[in-house]
């Protein structure tokens, strides 16, 4: 299933997402990932890659680090990834989602929305349908999340 989403706290709109009930964790295509400290807290600066291979867009973002997790990808390889929390807008709903930052260059979709985010957002998935929701209005009203850049 596919849907249009936005990440308002990161200033990102018009992003196509793959809804993947088989994946536990959500993931965002990011490169040039640089950890740093701000006011004694761990943060990460990264380039979020958006759009498609034909219409590639990117945006430099910053967000507080929630964790660093070892994630096993669909090809069976393990990789340590930074985890951030940011608001996600899908249709008329907005909620906070944890994303791992990973290079998804070889993947068709720059954002993968996993089952934990679907449960938190109380979404029901019909795998026979795609692009059911309207594109989220931008800027969307967001829950309080620190770290917009």
């Amino acid at each position: 299933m596919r849907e249009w989403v936005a990440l308002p706290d990161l200033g990102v709109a018009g992003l196509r997402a793959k809804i993947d009930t088989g994946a536990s964790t959500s993931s965002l295509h990011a490169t040039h990932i640089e950890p740093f400290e701000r006011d004694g807290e761990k943060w990460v600066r990264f380039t979020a890659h958006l759009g498609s291979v034909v219409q590639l867009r990117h945006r430099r973002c910053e967000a507080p680090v929630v964790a660093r997790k070892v994630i096993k990808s669909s090809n069976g390889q393990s990789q340590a990834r930074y985890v951030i929390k940011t608001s996600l807008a899908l249709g008329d709903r907005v909620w906070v989602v944890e994303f791992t930052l990973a290079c998804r260059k070889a993947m068709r979709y720059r954002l993968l929305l996993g089952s934990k985010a679907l449960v938190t957002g109380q979404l029901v998935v019909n795998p026979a349908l795609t692009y059911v929701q309207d594109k989220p209005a931008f800027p969307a009203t967001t829950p309080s999340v620190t770290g917009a850049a």
Side-chain angles (χ1 to χ4, degrees), residues 57-78:
R57 298 176 292 135
H58 60 274
R59 180 173 180 86
R60 200 70 179 147
C61 302
E62 294 180 352
V65 173
V66 173
R68 191 161 163 131
K69 292 182 181 176
V70 175
I71 303 292
K72 193 175 204 176
S73 67
S74 58
N75 65 10
Q77 291 185 324
S78 295

Side-chain angles (χ1 to χ4, degrees), residues 28-68:
L28 176 65
H29 179 33
T31 60
H32 304 99
I33 301 168
E34 303 166 12
F36 68 99
E37 273 196 28
R38 178 176 287 160
D39 300 324
E41 301 287 326
K42 292 181 181 182
W43 281 61
V44 67
R45 184 176 294 121
F46 58 95
T47 301
H49 295 271
L50 320 162
S52 63
V53 175
V54 176
Q55 272 191 316
L56 185 62
R57 298 176 292 135
H58 60 274
R59 180 173 180 86
R60 200 70 179 147
C61 302
E62 294 180 352
V65 173
V66 173
R68 191 161 163 131

Side-chain angles (χ1 to χ4, degrees), residues 52-134:
S52 63
V53 175
V54 176
Q55 272 191 316
L56 185 62
R57 298 176 292 135
H58 60 274
R59 180 173 180 86
R60 200 70 179 147
C61 302
E62 294 180 352
V65 173
V66 173
R68 191 161 163 131
K69 292 182 181 176
V70 175
I71 303 292
K72 193 175 204 176
S73 67
S74 58
N75 65 10
Q77 291 185 324
S78 295
Q79 179 185 47
R81 297 182 188 172
Y82 287 98
V83 180
I84 65 164
K85 258 187 198 179
T86 192
S87 60
L88 175 111
L90 191 156
D92 61 357
R93 302 183 61 130
V94 180
W95 72 101
V96 176
V97 174
E98 283 190 2
F99 289 94
T100 63
L101 301 178
C103 180
R104 296 182 51 82
K105 180 170 62 175
M107 307 296 183
R108 185 171 183 178
Y109 295 91
R110 305 298 183 199
L111 187 143
L112 180 130
L113 199 58
S115 61
K116 288 180 185 175
L118 300 174
V119 169
T120 303
Q122 299 179 339
L123 300 181
V124 176
V125 176
N126 181 340
L129 302 176
T130 192
Y131 299 111
V132 174
Q133 302 294 319
D134 291 332

